[in-house]
Amino acid sequence: MSSKRGSPSSDTESSSKRARNYPFRKDSHMNGGKDYELTFFDETIERSSTVSLFLQTCQGQTPKLSTQNEVLSEYSDLIDFCKKYDAAPVLRMISASLYRWFHEIDLGSCHIFILGCLLDTPKVVAFALRNSKPLTWSANKMLITEEEKAKARNPITTLENIVDARWTDPSSWSIELIEMIPEAYLFAMLRANKHGGTDAEKVADGFVQIMKEMGEYTAKSNNVLTDLVPHIRAKPMFASCRYRLLLDV
């Protein structure tokens, strides 16, 4: 991999890599099977750190990141990167690795939940919910005064995750997290939390059931629309998310 850097303060200007042996969609048969270069310019997800993490993931390496939030941030970008280039094998590698990281590097169930949602992998999400301990959001270390701590626990005085509230309850999520989660998963979590409350198994089971219901509903809706207009492909409900029947969860 070669990386072009414009200045020490920016790693987003462009990045190039030899990609013949990596699972990109972009014309892997081009140029007679010879090596070729891809040049990246997207400042949000095509940083050199993201491409490096892509290569490490291809090699099955465990992430060497300092904090769990860093794992979440870097892998969120990597997921977007893989989706952009249809690198489905790498997305499957990440999904499979999350189970291992839960045990090997003690990756938190909440972080696994978020990554599972971004991966559009309900099976991973259900795993995270079944292992959802600790159950509550912890206080930010920057909160010093009692007044600050009280505001962080009050649902109408903070936009952050509500301290001491269950993280499996979507009403406790920060506005940033709400915006991250695909709407189908948000809907399923609202219903699952209503169903299961503090029982992690019931929340996970409820999540699986509502995802199945949505998958079946979408399939039926699409069939009806397709029958009515045979030459027009029906647009699924919640088009940002692909539903599965989840028979393997």
Side-chain angles (χ1 to χ4, degrees):
M1 179 183 76
S2 62
S3 178
K4 302 172 184 176
R5 302 284 291 275
S7 67
S9 62
S10 171
D11 62 354
T12 62
E13 291 188 9
S14 75
S15 177
S16 300
K17 68 180 285 293
R18 293 188 177 279
R20 184 184 63 180
N21 295 323
Y22 293 95
F24 282 106
R25 169 200 63 191
K26 284 188 173 281
D27 302 325
S28 59
H29 61 281
M30 67 180 291
N31 205 24
K34 298 178 182 178
D35 285 357
Y36 63 95
E37 286 193 346
L38 295 176
T39 302
F40 304 120
F41 296 98
D42 189 328
E43 296 185 358
T44 57
I45 63 170
E46 294 178 348
R47 303 184 304 276
S48 60
S49 60
T50 304
V51 179
S52 295
L53 189 59
F54 172 85
L55 296 176
Q56 292 169 19
T57 304
C58 288
Q59 297 164 2
Q61 297 181 15
T62 299
K64 297 178 180 179
L65 300 169
S66 58
T67 68
Q68 299 211 8
N69 285 338
E70 190 177 359
V71 172
L72 178 60
S73 175
E74 292 295 329
Y75 275 90
S76 296
D77 289 342
L78 178 58
I79 290 168
D80 287 341
F81 178 85
C82 291
K83 287 180 178 179
K84 179 175 181 177
Y85 290 101
D86 285 354
V90 180
L91 291 173
R92 289 194 292 270
M93 288 179 186
I94 298 172
S95 294
S97 296
L98 289 174
Y99 301 102
R100 179 162 51 87
W101 296 343
F102 177 76
H103 299 287
E104 288 185 0
I105 63 173
D106 199 27
L107 183 61
S109 55
C110 180
H111 295 77
I112 293 174
F113 165 82
I114 296 170
L115 291 173
C117 290
L118 299 179
L119 286 161
D120 191 12
T121 310
K123 190 174 182 179
V124 170
V125 174
F127 169 82
L129 293 173
R130 294 186 197 284
N131 294 277
S132 54
K133 295 180 181 180
L135 289 174
T136 59
W137 297 111
S138 59
N140 189 316
K141 294 180 180 179
M142 299 298 291
L143 301 177
I144 300 175
T145 68
E146 289 303 317
E147 182 181 0
E148 289 175 329
K149 293 177 181 178
K151 287 182 65 176
R153 293 182 174 88
N154 189 329
I156 61 171
T157 58
T158 181
L159 298 181
E160 302 302 319
N161 298 318
I162 301 173
V163 173
D164 293 338
R166 288 182 296 107
W167 74 257
T168 54
D169 179 0
S171 69
S172 74
W173 295 353
S174 68
I175 189 169
E176 181 181 9
L177 179 53
I178 290 284
E179 290 173 347
M180 283 181 67
I181 302 300
E183 56 192 357
Y185 287 79
L186 176 58
F187 176 82
M189 279 304 301
L190 286 166
R191 291 298 179 88
N193 178 68
K194 183 75 172 177
H195 169 73
T198 60
D199 188 324
E201 285 291 334
K202 285 189 69 175
V203 172
D205 290 342
F207 171 82
V208 169
Q209 183 60 39
I210 196 65
M211 289 295 283
K212 286 181 179 178
E213 294 291 334
M214 287 194 291
E216 292 168 2
Y217 174 83
T218 303
K220 290 177 181 177
S221 298
N222 287 347
N223 288 338
V224 170
L225 289 173
T226 302
D227 289 341
L228 291 174
V229 189
H231 301 294
I232 298 178
R233 184 178 180 180
K235 182 179 179 181
M237 181 182 70
F238 297 125
S240 62
C241 179
R242 301 183 308 279
Y243 294 152
R244 297 171 175 80
L245 296 183
L246 306 182
L247 300 179
D248 60 342
V249 175

